[in-house]
Structures are given as structure tokens and as C-alpha cells.
Amino acid sequence: MRRRRRPGSLRGGRADAMAPILDHLVLDVRDRMAAGAARLAALGFQLTPMGKHSLGSANHLAVLAEDYLELLGTDIPGGALRPDIAAYPVGLNGLVFKTGDARALAGDLVARGVPALPAHEFHRPVDLPDGARDEARFRTTRLDRAAAFDGRIYWCEHLTPQHVWRKEWQAHPNGALSVARVLVAARDPERQAAMFRRMFGEDAVRAGEDGRVLLPCGPAVVEVAPHALVQAELGAAAPDPAGRGDHMVLVALRVSDLAATAALLRAQGIAPDARPGGLRVAAEPALNATLDFLA
């Protein structure tokens, strides 16, 4: 599959201006992989077969047109978790941007005062349609945990994108096409905005209403809003913070046919709340994240 040049790739021997483009979101499920996968399937997502990383974790993906959702944890009930994810509860904890060169990006970020960690590479086996086996390989650079909200921010360089964005994995019964919105609850949105500006440049961040901060990421937008506004919007549909302070609470996805999505959810015994232009599914224990479906 031919891919366009990704942000962070080299141009003229150095990392280019890093316009933020969302790569994927991580839903941590800890040792509850089966429950998380069952819930996403009930919500109408087709999941990839379980993958096992060289880092020691396991995952399933819901692959969309240009981004995806990742269930991340261990496939062993009660099993040990990867050290860098062990502290996070079930829920949305990973915000991941695209890069074409993680190593160059790490150096560029550090040079601009962004506390990025050195790039590292890992892989997982993948079965190919012809029955052969290969490896999906990745190189990432992460933001130091202390510099972000209570979650992980990192950039992912896909060394084998053809092993992720496969057409047979991109057709979802719920009609999901792409991530449209990511909502982060924060005590001080401007603190996160300041880091986004250092990461992506002054012009990358926009001011929203009522103290909200907006980071457009291609077809998606990351919205950082004060806790009170998030509570007012989500109410009982909000996830359990589970000890987190500033944290990701909601992902909204565009779908091809909202009425068909609603019918599928009802057939699964899920009663979404109708909202202008969309549907909302309240957070529950298997995923601990609020999901919106948008026309």
C-alpha cells in the first residue's frame, strides 16, 4: 500500500516541520485483553489477530483509514505488564503521532527543549495473506512521562506499514472510518498547550471556547478541556479517572452510516445516547473510555 510522506521524515538532511498527524490511540486493558476485545467487537470493530511484541506486551488493533485504535496489555490473566505501561489503569492512556524518522525526530525535539527519550525499535510477528509469516516493525520516540498529562505521548515510525494498514482489516461492521476527536481532561489546559507548542510550533495550537485548547492533527483534533467542562459534557458517561489527574477521556470516530451504526449497537444490546450529529456510548469497565460515533 503506497503511503504519503509522514510528518517528521527527513527533508534536506534534518527533521522537517512536524505538523501533528494522529497515528493511533492506545486503550490499555492490562490483563483483561479478552474482555476488551469482546467489548470492541460488540461495538462493531473488526480486530486484528492478537500480536505479541518483542517488548513483552500483546495487542489487538482496530485499523482505520489512516489511524487506528490499539488494545494493549498482556494476554496472560494476572500476568506481569511491560514496565512502561504497568502504572496505567484500564482506559485511554496513549496519544501517538506519526513520524517518518523517529531517530532524527528525537534529536530535533531535544534540541528544541522537548524532553523526548531516545528512539527504540521493536517488532511483532504477523501472518500474511499468502500463509507466510513476517514481522511488523516499529521505531518510536517517547515524551518523558513527567512532561505530559497522566498518560503516554509518543511518535511512531512504521517500518512496515503494509503489515498494519491491510484492506481486509479496515472494514468494520460499525462503519468506522477515522478518529475525529480526542478529548483530554486537564486542570490547566494551557500547561499542555505550552508543551504542544514546543513539540509542533506556535501555530499548531488553537484556542477554543471556555479555556479549551485545540491541536488539529490532520482529520482529527485533540481537545484539552478543563475538568469542569469535561464533567459537564460527559456526566455519567465519563470514564473512571482511576487515580489519574489530567487524562484522556473520549475518542470520537467518523462512520459511514450513522443509522446503520445505531442499529448495530442496539442489536448488541448497547443503548447509545443520541447527540447532534452522532451517538455516545458511555464508559464501562472493559474499556473505561467514552466513545462517540459521528456522521
Side-chain angles (χ1 to χ4, degrees):
M1 180 176 181
R2 188 170 181 266
R3 308 280 295 162
R4 66 173 182 263
R5 188 174 63 83
R6 296 180 296 278
S9 59
L10 291 183
R11 182 171 62 193
R14 64 184 304 275
D16 65 15
M18 295 172 295
I21 300 293
L22 185 70
D23 189 77
H24 67 278
L25 301 173
V26 180
L27 279 157
D28 286 273
V29 289
R30 299 185 63 80
D31 65 343
R32 307 173 199 173
M33 186 68 72
R39 182 61 175 176
L40 274 191
L43 288 163
F45 293 96
Q46 177 189 196
L47 298 181
T48 60
M50 183 182 292
K52 295 191 178 182
H53 296 125
S54 55
L55 298 173
S57 49
N59 74 350
H60 288 286
L61 307 182
V63 182
L64 305 170
E66 293 287 334
D67 45 43
Y68 59 90
L69 305 180
E70 178 182 21
L71 288 182
L72 181 66
T74 175
D75 60 323
I76 303 171
L81 292 166
R82 223 171 74 191
D84 61 312
I85 63 173
Y88 297 108
V90 172
L92 276 166
N93 294 305
L95 176 62
V96 189
F97 299 100
K98 293 185 185 294
T99 179
D101 191 326
R103 289 173 178 157
L105 174 64
D108 184 71
L109 288 169
V110 171
R112 291 185 289 108
V114 177
L117 303 178
H120 72 291
E121 192 169 325
F122 60 98
H123 57 85
R124 58 175 170 79
V126 60
D127 292 322
L128 304 183
D130 63 3
R133 172 163 279 207
D134 201 349
E135 289 181 344
R137 295 183 292 112
F138 314 90
R139 190 178 292 131
T140 63
T141 187
R142 291 178 286 164
L143 196 66
D144 185 273
R145 180 179 174 182
F149 54 79
D150 200 351
R152 296 188 301 144
I153 292 179
Y154 62 101
W155 290 258
C156 184
E157 177 186 356
H158 289 267
L159 303 174
T160 54
Q162 71 276 14
H163 293 336
V164 174
W165 282 276
R166 283 169 40 178
K167 288 185 178 179
E168 67 268 28
W169 291 339
Q170 292 173 293
H172 300 277
N174 62 16
L177 302 172
S178 64
V179 174
R181 180 191 184 207
V182 181
L183 180 60
V184 180
R187 287 158 291 192
D188 179 10
E190 182 54 36
R191 176 179 179 271
Q192 187 59 61
M195 181 55 68
F196 284 154
R197 292 187 187 100
R198 288 165 67 189
M199 289 158 53
F200 300 114
E202 290 292 327
D203 295 338
V205 180
R206 300 177 186 173
E209 297 180 355
D210 302 319
R212 301 172 194 261
V213 168
L214 306 178
L215 179 72
C217 301
V221 62
V222 175
E223 178 182 335
V224 185
H227 281 289
L229 292 184
V230 172
Q231 184 57 42
E233 177 184 346
L234 300 188
D240 178 4
R244 294 171 295 176
D246 299 349
H247 61 289
M248 299 166 69
V249 295
L250 172 146
V251 54
L253 300 117
R254 293 185 182 86
V255 298
S256 56
D257 186 332
L258 194 61
T261 303
L264 179 145
L265 294 173
R266 288 193 295 268
Q268 292 291 329
I270 299 170
D273 291 332
R275 298 177 55 78
L279 306 166
R280 174 161 293 163
V281 178
E284 46 68 55
L287 298 178
N288 194 34
T290 308
L291 268 66
D292 280 0
F293 296 96
L294 307 178

